[in-house]
Amino acid sequence: MAKMAAYAVESGEDAFRKIFKFYKRRNPPPDFSDVIDFSRSAPSDQVIPALLDPGAVSDEEAARVGLRPVRDWRAFGLPGYPGFMFITNPFLLGSKPFWVRQCLKTYPQKPNVCNLDMHMSPSDTQDIWDKSVGGLSHNQRQPKTLLDRLRWVTLGYHYNWDTKTYSASHYTPFPADLHSLSFHITSACGFPGFNPQAGILNYYRSDSSLGIHVDESELDHSRPLLSFSFGKSAIFLLGGTRRQDPPTAMYMHSGDVMVMSGQSRLLYHAVPRIVAAPQGHPALEASGSSRHGSVVEPLSEQDWAVCSRYSHSSRVNVTVRQVLAPGQSFPETPSSH
Ligand code: OGA
Ligand code: MN
């Protein structure tokens, strides 16, 4: 703890980079006692309650996408981070497996784009799930499956990692179920009319991390950025507007949702480390039954087995972004491809 305080007062140092390295370190493992755990915390001087609008989403609408009634959600903010909101697992028991299956089986499918498309032909990256599940076994000597090698998927306006831009010309329909889920959560958080237009899914193995960055490629920064976490837990670092501002460390557990808006929309952040899901907070619970008219369907036994196994060794993060303001269009540039 004294170490962390020392980072904060060092001037002219890249405090974020140092804290990133601190949490990424394997040997010896870092002290995690400064990491905020919203699932355990009561409001304090470190963590403040955040206001939700329970009238914005009916219990039926929430249940359709696998969410508990908004009045039962626990939402927090952090002093000094206006616009940042953290909702601890608002999902109904048994509905997370459906969303994990969408992330592993449905969203990687064409016409969406994934990292494997960068060096494989469309026919080779078709049916990632079927090709992976067929050869699935407990044999350690099995070669890595396509699912093991999946690192990212983009939805909607597909993100170009080289130019750091979205383009009008590379768009495929945003998944209706994830649109609905995102629309309801942001409505409850006080952002009616959020229009999910782009999504980035990140697939983390136990030793993966995500470097320090700001999400500023969207053309409309007045809209929130929504983030979902499934599977193993992560240490998330939320910094300031300058790269050297020291970050606050927090856990993201399976089912947790983060909303970055307002002054917190353009802050530096990173994921230095994936950690085991804590006791009493399973990476994935059993799939539940489904109500009539629900978006959330129960999983087949095989789908459940694959999703459950994956969730115990990996983490999936989904970020949902509105790229354009209503009526806004992409600037016409030759580099928009
Ligand atoms: C991102 C991101 C964080 C996470 O995809 O831009 O910051 O929790 N993800 O994985
Ligand atoms: Mn980000």
PDB file of all heavy atoms in Angstrom, residues 152-183:
ATOM      1  N   TRP A 152     -10.182 -11.232 -30.749  1.00  0.00           N
ATOM      2  CA  TRP A 152     -11.155 -10.132 -30.803  1.00  0.00           C
ATOM      3  C   TRP A 152     -12.147 -10.353 -31.922  1.00  0.00           C
ATOM      4  O   TRP A 152     -11.866 -11.063 -32.898  1.00  0.00           O
ATOM      5  CB  TRP A 152     -10.468  -8.767 -30.945  1.00  0.00           C
ATOM      6  CG  TRP A 152      -9.515  -8.614 -32.110  1.00  0.00           C
ATOM      7  CD1 TRP A 152      -8.153  -8.709 -32.071  1.00  0.00           C
ATOM      8  CD2 TRP A 152      -9.848  -8.324 -33.488  1.00  0.00           C
ATOM      9  NE1 TRP A 152      -7.625  -8.505 -33.327  1.00  0.00           N
ATOM     10  CE2 TRP A 152      -8.642  -8.258 -34.209  1.00  0.00           C
ATOM     11  CE3 TRP A 152     -11.051  -8.105 -34.171  1.00  0.00           C
ATOM     12  CZ2 TRP A 152      -8.594  -8.001 -35.586  1.00  0.00           C
ATOM     13  CZ3 TRP A 152     -11.006  -7.842 -35.539  1.00  0.00           C
ATOM     14  CH2 TRP A 152      -9.788  -7.786 -36.225  1.00  0.00           C
ATOM     15  N   VAL A 153     -13.309  -9.738 -31.733  1.00  0.00           N
ATOM     16  CA  VAL A 153     -14.371  -9.720 -32.741  1.00  0.00           C
ATOM     17  C   VAL A 153     -14.876  -8.285 -32.797  1.00  0.00           C
ATOM     18  O   VAL A 153     -14.968  -7.619 -31.755  1.00  0.00           O
ATOM     19  CB  VAL A 153     -15.527 -10.675 -32.341  1.00  0.00           C
ATOM     20  CG1 VAL A 153     -16.789 -10.397 -33.151  1.00  0.00           C
ATOM     21  CG2 VAL A 153     -15.109 -12.140 -32.501  1.00  0.00           C
ATOM     22  N   THR A 154     -15.174  -7.796 -33.993  1.00  0.00           N
ATOM     23  CA  THR A 154     -15.803  -6.478 -34.083  1.00  0.00           C
ATOM     24  C   THR A 154     -17.190  -6.613 -34.695  1.00  0.00           C
ATOM     25  O   THR A 154     -17.448  -7.487 -35.522  1.00  0.00           O
ATOM     26  CB  THR A 154     -14.947  -5.474 -34.891  1.00  0.00           C
ATOM     27  OG1 THR A 154     -14.690  -6.001 -36.199  1.00  0.00           O
ATOM     28  CG2 THR A 154     -13.622  -5.191 -34.194  1.00  0.00           C
ATOM     29  N   LEU A 155     -18.080  -5.720 -34.239  1.00  0.00           N
ATOM     30  CA  LEU A 155     -19.494  -5.717 -34.647  1.00  0.00           C
ATOM     31  C   LEU A 155     -19.861  -4.333 -35.162  1.00  0.00           C
ATOM     32  O   LEU A 155     -19.292  -3.334 -34.723  1.00  0.00           O
ATOM     33  CB  LEU A 155     -20.389  -6.010 -33.432  1.00  0.00           C
ATOM     34  CG  LEU A 155     -20.059  -7.204 -32.539  1.00  0.00           C
ATOM     35  CD1 LEU A 155     -20.931  -7.154 -31.274  1.00  0.00           C
ATOM     36  CD2 LEU A 155     -20.280  -8.505 -33.301  1.00  0.00           C
ATOM     37  N   GLY A 156     -20.864  -4.285 -36.029  1.00  0.00           N
ATOM     38  CA  GLY A 156     -21.397  -2.986 -36.470  1.00  0.00           C
ATOM     39  C   GLY A 156     -20.422  -2.268 -37.386  1.00  0.00           C
ATOM     40  O   GLY A 156     -19.979  -2.835 -38.390  1.00  0.00           O
ATOM     41  N   TYR A 157     -20.087  -1.037 -37.060  1.00  0.00           N
ATOM     42  CA  TYR A 157     -19.002  -0.364 -37.773  1.00  0.00           C
ATOM     43  C   TYR A 157     -17.713  -1.024 -37.299  1.00  0.00           C
ATOM     44  O   TYR A 157     -17.332  -0.888 -36.143  1.00  0.00           O
ATOM     45  CB  TYR A 157     -18.971   1.136 -37.445  1.00  0.00           C
ATOM     46  CG  TYR A 157     -20.104   1.924 -38.065  1.00  0.00           C
ATOM     47  CD1 TYR A 157     -21.075   2.531 -37.259  1.00  0.00           C
ATOM     48  CD2 TYR A 157     -20.206   2.065 -39.451  1.00  0.00           C
ATOM     49  CE1 TYR A 157     -22.119   3.250 -37.824  1.00  0.00           C
ATOM     50  CE2 TYR A 157     -21.251   2.778 -40.015  1.00  0.00           C
ATOM     51  CZ  TYR A 157     -22.200   3.372 -39.199  1.00  0.00           C
ATOM     52  OH  TYR A 157     -23.225   4.075 -39.753  1.00  0.00           O
ATOM     53  N   HIS A 158     -17.058  -1.752 -38.168  1.00  0.00           N
ATOM     54  CA  HIS A 158     -15.895  -2.536 -37.748  1.00  0.00           C
ATOM     55  C   HIS A 158     -14.695  -1.638 -37.520  1.00  0.00           C
ATOM     56  O   HIS A 158     -14.406  -0.752 -38.321  1.00  0.00           O
ATOM     57  CB  HIS A 158     -15.608  -3.633 -38.777  1.00  0.00           C
ATOM     58  CG  HIS A 158     -16.743  -4.600 -38.861  1.00  0.00           C
ATOM     59  ND1 HIS A 158     -16.933  -5.587 -37.925  1.00  0.00           N
ATOM     60  CD2 HIS A 158     -17.790  -4.669 -39.716  1.00  0.00           C
ATOM     61  CE1 HIS A 158     -18.048  -6.246 -38.228  1.00  0.00           C
ATOM     62  NE2 HIS A 158     -18.584  -5.710 -39.299  1.00  0.00           N
ATOM     63  N   TYR A 159     -14.051  -1.889 -36.424  1.00  0.00           N
ATOM     64  CA  TYR A 159     -12.907  -1.062 -36.027  1.00  0.00           C
ATOM     65  C   TYR A 159     -11.670  -1.476 -36.812  1.00  0.00           C
ATOM     66  O   TYR A 159     -11.386  -2.668 -36.940  1.00  0.00           O
ATOM     67  CB  TYR A 159     -12.665  -1.239 -34.530  1.00  0.00           C
ATOM     68  CG  TYR A 159     -11.687  -0.252 -33.950  1.00  0.00           C
ATOM     69  CD1 TYR A 159     -11.964   1.109 -33.951  1.00  0.00           C
ATOM     70  CD2 TYR A 159     -10.478  -0.680 -33.385  1.00  0.00           C
ATOM     71  CE1 TYR A 159     -11.080   2.021 -33.412  1.00  0.00           C
ATOM     72  CE2 TYR A 159      -9.585   0.228 -32.837  1.00  0.00           C
ATOM     73  CZ  TYR A 159      -9.887   1.572 -32.853  1.00  0.00           C
ATOM     74  OH  TYR A 159      -9.001   2.471 -32.309  1.00  0.00           O
ATOM     75  N   ASN A 160     -10.987  -0.494 -37.335  1.00  0.00           N
ATOM     76  CA  ASN A 160      -9.713  -0.752 -38.014  1.00  0.00           C
ATOM     77  C   ASN A 160      -8.583  -0.463 -37.023  1.00  0.00           C
ATOM     78  O   ASN A 160      -8.350   0.681 -36.646  1.00  0.00           O
ATOM     79  CB  ASN A 160      -9.611   0.143 -39.258  1.00  0.00           C
ATOM     80  CG  ASN A 160      -8.326  -0.111 -40.037  1.00  0.00           C
ATOM     81  OD1 ASN A 160      -7.267  -0.349 -39.461  1.00  0.00           O
ATOM     82  ND2 ASN A 160      -8.432  -0.060 -41.349  1.00  0.00           N
ATOM     83  N   TRP A 161      -7.890  -1.530 -36.607  1.00  0.00           N
ATOM     84  CA  TRP A 161      -6.884  -1.410 -35.536  1.00  0.00           C
ATOM     85  C   TRP A 161      -5.673  -0.622 -36.000  1.00  0.00           C
ATOM     86  O   TRP A 161      -4.952  -0.050 -35.169  1.00  0.00           O
ATOM     87  CB  TRP A 161      -6.453  -2.795 -35.051  1.00  0.00           C
ATOM     88  CG  TRP A 161      -7.591  -3.606 -34.520  1.00  0.00           C
ATOM     89  CD1 TRP A 161      -8.411  -4.444 -35.232  1.00  0.00           C
ATOM     90  CD2 TRP A 161      -8.089  -3.636 -33.167  1.00  0.00           C
ATOM     91  NE1 TRP A 161      -9.374  -4.998 -34.410  1.00  0.00           N
ATOM     92  CE2 TRP A 161      -9.199  -4.528 -33.144  1.00  0.00           C
ATOM     93  CE3 TRP A 161      -7.699  -3.007 -31.981  1.00  0.00           C
ATOM     94  CZ2 TRP A 161      -9.914  -4.791 -31.971  1.00  0.00           C
ATOM     95  CZ3 TRP A 161      -8.419  -3.285 -30.820  1.00  0.00           C
ATOM     96  CH2 TRP A 161      -9.496  -4.160 -30.824  1.00  0.00           C
ATOM     97  N   ASP A 162      -5.398  -0.610 -37.298  1.00  0.00           N
ATOM     98  CA  ASP A 162      -4.222   0.110 -37.801  1.00  0.00           C
ATOM     99  C   ASP A 162      -4.467   1.613 -37.860  1.00  0.00           C
ATOM    100  O   ASP A 162      -3.644   2.394 -37.404  1.00  0.00           O
ATOM    101  CB  ASP A 162      -3.835  -0.412 -39.190  1.00  0.00           C
ATOM    102  CG  ASP A 162      -3.422  -1.880 -39.124  1.00  0.00           C
ATOM    103  OD1 ASP A 162      -2.824  -2.261 -38.093  1.00  0.00           O
ATOM    104  OD2 ASP A 162      -3.712  -2.618 -40.073  1.00  0.00           O
ATOM    105  N   THR A 163      -5.609   1.992 -38.422  1.00  0.00           N
ATOM    106  CA  THR A 163      -5.882   3.430 -38.559  1.00  0.00           C
ATOM    107  C   THR A 163      -6.609   3.977 -37.338  1.00  0.00           C
ATOM    108  O   THR A 163      -6.818   5.180 -37.226  1.00  0.00           O
ATOM    109  CB  THR A 163      -6.764   3.701 -39.801  1.00  0.00           C
ATOM    110  OG1 THR A 163      -8.022   3.018 -39.617  1.00  0.00           O
ATOM    111  CG2 THR A 163      -6.106   3.184 -41.075  1.00  0.00           C
ATOM    112  N   LYS A 164      -7.038   3.076 -36.419  1.00  0.00           N
ATOM    113  CA  LYS A 164      -7.821   3.474 -35.244  1.00  0.00           C
ATOM    114  C   LYS A 164      -9.076   4.254 -35.638  1.00  0.00           C
ATOM    115  O   LYS A 164      -9.423   5.259 -35.007  1.00  0.00           O
ATOM    116  CB  LYS A 164      -6.958   4.304 -34.272  1.00  0.00           C
ATOM    117  CG  LYS A 164      -5.810   3.524 -33.634  1.00  0.00           C
ATOM    118  CD  LYS A 164      -5.106   4.382 -32.585  1.00  0.00           C
ATOM    119  CE  LYS A 164      -4.261   3.585 -31.621  1.00  0.00           C
ATOM    120  NZ  LYS A 164      -3.169   2.833 -32.227  1.00  0.00           N
ATOM    121  N   THR A 165      -9.720   3.796 -36.686  1.00  0.00           N
ATOM    122  CA  THR A 165     -10.959   4.462 -37.126  1.00  0.00           C
ATOM    123  C   THR A 165     -12.045   3.424 -37.407  1.00  0.00           C
ATOM    124  O   THR A 165     -11.769   2.246 -37.631  1.00  0.00           O
ATOM    125  CB  THR A 165     -10.756   5.260 -38.437  1.00  0.00           C
ATOM    126  OG1 THR A 165     -10.313   4.351 -39.460  1.00  0.00           O
ATOM    127  CG2 THR A 165      -9.733   6.378 -38.270  1.00  0.00           C
ATOM    128  N   TYR A 166     -13.279   3.914 -37.383  1.00  0.00           N
ATOM    129  CA  TYR A 166     -14.420   3.156 -37.890  1.00  0.00           C
ATOM    130  C   TYR A 166     -14.708   3.731 -39.273  1.00  0.00           C
ATOM    131  O   TYR A 166     -14.443   4.901 -39.523  1.00  0.00           O
ATOM    132  CB  TYR A 166     -15.649   3.378 -37.020  1.00  0.00           C
ATOM    133  CG  TYR A 166     -15.492   2.975 -35.584  1.00  0.00           C
ATOM    134  CD1 TYR A 166     -15.172   3.919 -34.608  1.00  0.00           C
ATOM    135  CD2 TYR A 166     -15.688   1.666 -35.181  1.00  0.00           C
ATOM    136  CE1 TYR A 166     -15.048   3.570 -33.276  1.00  0.00           C
ATOM    137  CE2 TYR A 166     -15.571   1.297 -33.849  1.00  0.00           C
ATOM    138  CZ  TYR A 166     -15.249   2.260 -32.898  1.00  0.00           C
ATOM    139  OH  TYR A 166     -15.132   1.905 -31.583  1.00  0.00           O
ATOM    140  N   SER A 167     -15.251   2.910 -40.156  1.00  0.00           N
ATOM    141  CA  SER A 167     -15.574   3.499 -41.449  1.00  0.00           C
ATOM    142  C   SER A 167     -16.994   3.171 -41.858  1.00  0.00           C
ATOM    143  O   SER A 167     -17.534   2.109 -41.524  1.00  0.00           O
ATOM    144  CB  SER A 167     -14.587   3.050 -42.517  1.00  0.00           C
ATOM    145  OG  SER A 167     -14.983   1.809 -43.043  1.00  0.00           O
ATOM    146  N   ALA A 168     -17.582   4.118 -42.587  1.00  0.00           N
ATOM    147  CA  ALA A 168     -18.957   3.971 -43.057  1.00  0.00           C
ATOM    148  C   ALA A 168     -19.070   2.769 -43.979  1.00  0.00           C
ATOM    149  O   ALA A 168     -20.099   2.097 -44.028  1.00  0.00           O
ATOM    150  CB  ALA A 168     -19.383   5.244 -43.793  1.00  0.00           C
ATOM    151  N   SER A 169     -17.995   2.486 -44.716  1.00  0.00           N
ATOM    152  CA  SER A 169     -18.074   1.469 -45.764  1.00  0.00           C
ATOM    153  C   SER A 169     -17.902   0.048 -45.232  1.00  0.00           C
ATOM    154  O   SER A 169     -18.113  -0.916 -45.955  1.00  0.00           O
ATOM    155  CB  SER A 169     -17.006   1.739 -46.816  1.00  0.00           C
ATOM    156  OG  SER A 169     -15.741   1.720 -46.203  1.00  0.00           O
ATOM    157  N   HIS A 170     -17.505  -0.085 -43.960  1.00  0.00           N
ATOM    158  CA  HIS A 170     -17.360  -1.434 -43.424  1.00  0.00           C
ATOM    159  C   HIS A 170     -18.300  -1.606 -42.233  1.00  0.00           C
ATOM    160  O   HIS A 170     -17.898  -1.528 -41.075  1.00  0.00           O
ATOM    161  CB  HIS A 170     -15.906  -1.703 -43.029  1.00  0.00           C
ATOM    162  CG  HIS A 170     -15.640  -3.163 -42.824  1.00  0.00           C
ATOM    163  ND1 HIS A 170     -14.472  -3.652 -42.312  1.00  0.00           N
ATOM    164  CD2 HIS A 170     -16.420  -4.238 -43.077  1.00  0.00           C
ATOM    165  CE1 HIS A 170     -14.553  -4.969 -42.243  1.00  0.00           C
ATOM    166  NE2 HIS A 170     -15.718  -5.346 -42.694  1.00  0.00           N
ATOM    167  N   TYR A 171     -19.546  -1.822 -42.573  1.00  0.00           N
ATOM    168  CA  TYR A 171     -20.588  -1.937 -41.551  1.00  0.00           C
ATOM    169  C   TYR A 171     -21.404  -3.195 -41.785  1.00  0.00           C
ATOM    170  O   TYR A 171     -21.751  -3.517 -42.914  1.00  0.00           O
ATOM    171  CB  TYR A 171     -21.524  -0.722 -41.608  1.00  0.00           C
ATOM    172  CG  TYR A 171     -22.691  -0.825 -40.656  1.00  0.00           C
ATOM    173  CD1 TYR A 171     -22.539  -0.487 -39.316  1.00  0.00           C
ATOM    174  CD2 TYR A 171     -23.941  -1.284 -41.080  1.00  0.00           C
ATOM    175  CE1 TYR A 171     -23.595  -0.603 -38.424  1.00  0.00           C
ATOM    176  CE2 TYR A 171     -25.001  -1.406 -40.195  1.00  0.00           C
ATOM    177  CZ  TYR A 171     -24.819  -1.055 -38.874  1.00  0.00           C
ATOM    178  OH  TYR A 171     -25.861  -1.182 -37.986  1.00  0.00           O
ATOM    179  N   THR A 172     -21.684  -3.937 -40.722  1.00  0.00           N
ATOM    180  CA  THR A 172     -22.639  -5.050 -40.795  1.00  0.00           C
ATOM    181  C   THR A 172     -23.628  -4.847 -39.640  1.00  0.00           C
ATOM    182  O   THR A 172     -23.284  -4.204 -38.648  1.00  0.00           O
ATOM    183  CB  THR A 172     -21.930  -6.414 -40.673  1.00  0.00           C
ATOM    184  OG1 THR A 172     -21.172  -6.456 -39.462  1.00  0.00           O
ATOM    185  CG2 THR A 172     -20.994  -6.660 -41.854  1.00  0.00           C
ATOM    186  N   PRO A 173     -24.852  -5.343 -39.785  1.00  0.00           N
ATOM    187  CA  PRO A 173     -25.879  -5.047 -38.779  1.00  0.00           C
ATOM    188  C   PRO A 173     -25.434  -5.412 -37.364  1.00  0.00           C
ATOM    189  O   PRO A 173     -24.892  -6.492 -37.139  1.00  0.00           O
ATOM    190  CB  PRO A 173     -27.068  -5.903 -39.228  1.00  0.00           C
ATOM    191  CG  PRO A 173     -26.865  -6.088 -40.685  1.00  0.00           C
ATOM    192  CD  PRO A 173     -25.373  -6.169 -40.882  1.00  0.00           C
ATOM    193  N   PHE A 174     -25.671  -4.498 -36.428  1.00  0.00           N
ATOM    194  CA  PHE A 174     -25.322  -4.735 -35.028  1.00  0.00           C
ATOM    195  C   PHE A 174     -26.303  -5.759 -34.458  1.00  0.00           C
ATOM    196  O   PHE A 174     -27.506  -5.665 -34.678  1.00  0.00           O
ATOM    197  CB  PHE A 174     -25.397  -3.413 -34.252  1.00  0.00           C
ATOM    198  CG  PHE A 174     -24.791  -3.490 -32.882  1.00  0.00           C
ATOM    199  CD1 PHE A 174     -23.450  -3.175 -32.675  1.00  0.00           C
ATOM    200  CD2 PHE A 174     -25.551  -3.908 -31.792  1.00  0.00           C
ATOM    201  CE1 PHE A 174     -22.887  -3.268 -31.418  1.00  0.00           C
ATOM    202  CE2 PHE A 174     -24.978  -4.006 -30.526  1.00  0.00           C
ATOM    203  CZ  PHE A 174     -23.649  -3.678 -30.346  1.00  0.00           C
ATOM    204  N   PRO A 175     -25.833  -6.772 -33.705  1.00  0.00           N
ATOM    205  CA  PRO A 175     -26.739  -7.814 -33.184  1.00  0.00           C
ATOM    206  C   PRO A 175     -27.892  -7.217 -32.371  1.00  0.00           C
ATOM    207  O   PRO A 175     -27.675  -6.431 -31.452  1.00  0.00           O
ATOM    208  CB  PRO A 175     -25.827  -8.655 -32.293  1.00  0.00           C
ATOM    209  CG  PRO A 175     -24.443  -8.421 -32.800  1.00  0.00           C
ATOM    210  CD  PRO A 175     -24.425  -7.016 -33.334  1.00  0.00           C
ATOM    211  N   ALA A 176     -29.116  -7.620 -32.746  1.00  0.00           N
ATOM    212  CA  ALA A 176     -30.315  -7.041 -32.130  1.00  0.00           C
ATOM    213  C   ALA A 176     -30.383  -7.340 -30.628  1.00  0.00           C
ATOM    214  O   ALA A 176     -30.811  -6.488 -29.835  1.00  0.00           O
ATOM    215  CB  ALA A 176     -31.558  -7.567 -32.836  1.00  0.00           C
ATOM    216  N   ASP A 177     -29.942  -8.530 -30.223  1.00  0.00           N
ATOM    217  CA  ASP A 177     -30.049  -8.874 -28.795  1.00  0.00           C
ATOM    218  C   ASP A 177     -29.109  -8.019 -27.941  1.00  0.00           C
ATOM    219  O   ASP A 177     -29.498  -7.482 -26.900  1.00  0.00           O
ATOM    220  CB  ASP A 177     -29.827 -10.382 -28.564  1.00  0.00           C
ATOM    221  CG  ASP A 177     -28.561 -10.932 -29.204  1.00  0.00           C
ATOM    222  OD1 ASP A 177     -27.734 -10.147 -29.704  1.00  0.00           O
ATOM    223  OD2 ASP A 177     -28.392 -12.177 -29.192  1.00  0.00           O
ATOM    224  N   LEU A 178     -27.895  -7.826 -28.427  1.00  0.00           N
ATOM    225  CA  LEU A 178     -26.922  -7.009 -27.687  1.00  0.00           C
ATOM    226  C   LEU A 178     -27.309  -5.523 -27.728  1.00  0.00           C
ATOM    227  O   LEU A 178     -27.067  -4.777 -26.770  1.00  0.00           O
ATOM    228  CB  LEU A 178     -25.520  -7.219 -28.285  1.00  0.00           C
ATOM    229  CG  LEU A 178     -24.350  -6.542 -27.572  1.00  0.00           C
ATOM    230  CD1 LEU A 178     -24.255  -6.968 -26.109  1.00  0.00           C
ATOM    231  CD2 LEU A 178     -23.033  -6.831 -28.307  1.00  0.00           C
ATOM    232  N   HIS A 179     -27.946  -5.125 -28.819  1.00  0.00           N
ATOM    233  CA  HIS A 179     -28.472  -3.759 -28.931  1.00  0.00           C
ATOM    234  C   HIS A 179     -29.501  -3.522 -27.828  1.00  0.00           C
ATOM    235  O   HIS A 179     -29.450  -2.534 -27.088  1.00  0.00           O
ATOM    236  CB  HIS A 179     -29.096  -3.573 -30.317  1.00  0.00           C
ATOM    237  CG  HIS A 179     -29.414  -2.145 -30.664  1.00  0.00           C
ATOM    238  ND1 HIS A 179     -30.434  -1.444 -30.076  1.00  0.00           N
ATOM    239  CD2 HIS A 179     -28.819  -1.281 -31.540  1.00  0.00           C
ATOM    240  CE1 HIS A 179     -30.472  -0.209 -30.577  1.00  0.00           C
ATOM    241  NE2 HIS A 179     -29.492  -0.085 -31.464  1.00  0.00           N
ATOM    242  N   SER A 180     -30.410  -4.471 -27.703  1.00  0.00           N
ATOM    243  CA  SER A 180     -31.479  -4.381 -26.717  1.00  0.00           C
ATOM    244  C   SER A 180     -30.927  -4.351 -25.285  1.00  0.00           C
ATOM    245  O   SER A 180     -31.320  -3.517 -24.466  1.00  0.00           O
ATOM    246  CB  SER A 180     -32.335  -5.622 -26.921  1.00  0.00           C
ATOM    247  OG  SER A 180     -33.617  -5.419 -26.648  1.00  0.00           O
ATOM    248  N   LEU A 181     -30.022  -5.256 -24.995  1.00  0.00           N
ATOM    249  CA  LEU A 181     -29.400  -5.298 -23.667  1.00  0.00           C
ATOM    250  C   LEU A 181     -28.724  -3.959 -23.343  1.00  0.00           C
ATOM    251  O   LEU A 181     -28.911  -3.390 -22.257  1.00  0.00           O
ATOM    252  CB  LEU A 181     -28.355  -6.433 -23.628  1.00  0.00           C
ATOM    253  CG  LEU A 181     -27.529  -6.547 -22.352  1.00  0.00           C
ATOM    254  CD1 LEU A 181     -28.387  -7.059 -21.198  1.00  0.00           C
ATOM    255  CD2 LEU A 181     -26.321  -7.479 -22.558  1.00  0.00           C
ATOM    256  N   SER A 182     -27.967  -3.444 -24.294  1.00  0.00           N
ATOM    257  CA  SER A 182     -27.208  -2.211 -24.091  1.00  0.00           C
ATOM    258  C   SER A 182     -28.140  -1.012 -23.958  1.00  0.00           C
ATOM    259  O   SER A 182     -27.916  -0.119 -23.129  1.00  0.00           O
ATOM    260  CB  SER A 182     -26.249  -1.984 -25.262  1.00  0.00           C
ATOM    261  OG  SER A 182     -25.421  -3.107 -25.435  1.00  0.00           O
ATOM    262  N   PHE A 183     -29.177  -1.004 -24.765  1.00  0.00           N
ATOM    263  CA  PHE A 183     -30.149   0.101 -24.742  1.00  0.00           C
ATOM    264  C   PHE A 183     -30.810   0.185 -23.366  1.00  0.00           C
ATOM    265  O   PHE A 183     -30.928   1.270 -22.789  1.00  0.00           O
ATOM    266  CB  PHE A 183     -31.197  -0.126 -25.839  1.00  0.00           C
ATOM    267  CG  PHE A 183     -32.232   0.954 -25.921  1.00  0.00           C
ATOM    268  CD1 PHE A 183     -32.005   2.094 -26.685  1.00  0.00           C
ATOM    269  CD2 PHE A 183     -33.437   0.832 -25.228  1.00  0.00           C
ATOM    270  CE1 PHE A 183     -32.958   3.100 -26.751  1.00  0.00           C
ATOM    271  CE2 PHE A 183     -34.394   1.843 -25.292  1.00  0.00           C
ATOM    272  CZ  PHE A 183     -34.155   2.976 -26.058  1.00  0.00           C
TER     273      PHE A 183
END
